[in-house]
Amino acid sequence: LLSRLEQRRAPLLALPILALVVCLVGLPMLRWTDDITALRNLDEDLLEEDERVREQVSKMGASRFVIAMGSTEQEALERNDEVFRRLEAAKAVGEIGDFRSLHVFLWSEGLQRQNLEFFRGDPQLRERFDRVFAKQGFRPELFGPFFEAIANEEVEPLRWEHLAESPLADLIRSFKITLGEDVAILTFLRDVNDADALEARLAGLDEVVYFDQFAFLTGTYRHCRNRTLQLMVVGLIAVFLMVLVRYRRISLAAAAFAPALLASATTLAIVSLTGAEANLLHLLGLLLVSSMGVDYGVFMVESREDRKALEATAVGLVVACLSTVLAFGLLALSSNPALRAMGLTTGIGVLLSFFLAPTALILLGKPVKRDADDGGKS
């Protein structure tokens, strides 16, 4: 087949030209997605059940929260007090749907003392208290210990350890974490309708951070994708320089290198033309395509001077290509989006590399030498 193709080089141009046309049409339409959920299958029944459980257990999400940090517990609580006030304002204007804060259970000692002084400075507090609570059906005398406590000059403020030793321990445990020597107080959010406005509202508070887990993972995923793409380009340039030094001829270096480059670009274009969005797994598949494509091209160029070696190389490439395409073809049939992306990209790219490697050799490399005893019929 190689001998016949060599005798008819002009039709061979159709393959790289077709690949280039596909690239010109498909690559401008290529869209990248950094949504990590695109790499997994979500069972609709399980999602509905998860929502039902969350409605029963907690209406707060676990992926968006505000972190108030401090070098001490009291410092973190002071910042959390201010976070609570600002989140109340954000809820009032619809920036968030609701939130759950430790502030409901525990204030900073400074704020507690301010309230204590306010109570002590109001001489009519007990009278108004008894009247209002009695009207609501309470027995006001049961609150006597409260007024005795605020009258006590040595009354201690409520602290975290008091709550941690109380029946409320399970309710408050998730609000506090330690970060090295620092303390962080978490406030959990639900229905964040305007993240930018919320971040602007919290701006200016030292050591206070709005954290969106999904946005963080998306940003990390995007960084990995961009970095992988950059390193892939650098690697391809380095490989081309290596083969150029090896062969010292642009045509031979191109014959060894072009199949990998063109196969990778065409594969991305095909993914784009199918309407799919490319992701990090497609890019990782291209790493395999480019490495194997360069191998195919180099093996063909290295065998160009010896007919028997070229025949052996061609047979080896057939076996290697089929085993790779069949193996990754199974992944392409997977219902898992990540495995499917990897399988499709690698399968298509390796198959294209296989066809482009001999094409590049015939079009760009030296004519294949024939055995003397074949009578020129090879």
Side-chain angles (χ1 to χ4, degrees), residues 78-230:
E78 289 173 3
R79 289 168 177 156
N80 189 61
D81 292 339
E82 181 60 29
V83 167
F84 180 85
R85 285 191 284 269
R86 298 197 183 193
L87 290 181
E88 281 281 284
K91 179 180 176 181
V93 298
E95 292 172 6
I96 58 175
D98 202 357
F99 65 97
R100 188 159 59 93
S101 172
L102 179 63
H103 186 85
V104 174
F105 302 97
L106 181 63
W107 300 350
S108 65
E109 291 185 14
L111 184 58
Q112 290 184 56
R113 290 192 181 95
Q114 290 179 23
N115 282 273
L116 181 60
E117 293 302 321
F118 177 81
F119 287 148
R120 288 172 174 172
D122 186 352
Q124 298 180 343
L125 175 64
R126 182 64 186 267
E127 178 186 348
R128 291 188 291 107
F129 188 96
D130 289 348
R131 183 177 68 253
V132 172
F133 274 70
K135 185 177 180 180
Q136 296 299 323
F138 289 90
R139 295 169 57 189
E141 62 271 16
L142 295 179
F143 294 91
F146 167 71
F147 289 95
E148 293 175 5
I150 64 175
N152 184 357
E153 293 294 335
E154 298 182 358
V155 62
E156 289 188 12
L158 184 65
R159 296 188 177 93
W160 172 268
E161 53 266 27
H162 299 147
L163 291 175
E165 295 172 357
S166 74
L168 295 175
D170 290 337
L171 286 176
I172 68 167
R173 187 175 294 116
S174 61
F175 289 111
K176 177 184 173 183
I177 60 175
T178 56
L179 302 172
E181 297 181 354
D182 294 336
V183 176
I185 305 298
L186 306 182
T187 300
F188 299 94
L189 309 177
R190 191 184 94 179
D191 297 334
V192 177
N193 302 315
D194 193 339
D196 293 336
L198 179 61
E199 287 189 277
R201 185 179 294 277
L202 296 173
L205 293 179
D206 292 337
E207 299 297 320
V208 172
V209 178
Y210 166 65
F211 183 80
D212 185 334
Q213 184 181 24
F214 181 78
F216 173 78
L217 291 175
T218 299
T220 303
Y221 186 81
R222 183 183 301 111
H223 173 76
C224 290
R225 173 177 62 80
N226 290 334
R227 188 63 175 159
T228 301
L229 186 58
Q230 292 169 4

Side-chain angles (χ1 to χ4, degrees), residues 2-137:
L2 286 174
S3 299
R4 292 182 180 180
L5 291 175
E6 185 188 8
Q7 296 170 9
R8 300 172 178 83
R9 295 188 181 187
L12 272 183
L13 288 171
L15 181 58
I17 290 175
L18 178 61
L20 288 173
V21 170
V22 172
C23 291
L24 292 174
V25 175
L27 290 179
M29 301 166 54
L30 183 65
R31 293 171 296 144
W32 293 97
T33 178
D34 297 306
D35 184 355
I36 199 168
T37 60
L39 300 181
R40 62 185 182 182
N41 265 347
L42 300 177
D43 188 287
E44 294 297 331
D45 294 335
L46 288 178
L47 284 177
E48 291 179 4
E49 183 177 354
D50 178 72
E51 289 297 325
R52 289 197 299 271
V53 172
R54 287 182 182 276
E55 285 293 324
Q56 295 294 325
V57 178
S58 172
K59 295 183 179 181
M60 298 299 145
S63 62
R64 291 177 173 180
F65 41 89
V66 177
I67 309 171
M69 293 176 285
S71 57
T72 65
E73 181 181 297
Q74 285 306 311
E75 192 174 69
L77 285 172
E78 289 173 3
R79 289 168 177 156
N80 189 61
D81 292 339
E82 181 60 29
V83 167
F84 180 85
R85 285 191 284 269
R86 298 197 183 193
L87 290 181
E88 281 281 284
K91 179 180 176 181
V93 298
E95 292 172 6
I96 58 175
D98 202 357
F99 65 97
R100 188 159 59 93
S101 172
L102 179 63
H103 186 85
V104 174
F105 302 97
L106 181 63
W107 300 350
S108 65
E109 291 185 14
L111 184 58
Q112 290 184 56
R113 290 192 181 95
Q114 290 179 23
N115 282 273
L116 181 60
E117 293 302 321
F118 177 81
F119 287 148
R120 288 172 174 172
D122 186 352
Q124 298 180 343
L125 175 64
R126 182 64 186 267
E127 178 186 348
R128 291 188 291 107
F129 188 96
D130 289 348
R131 183 177 68 253
V132 172
F133 274 70
K135 185 177 180 180
Q136 296 299 323

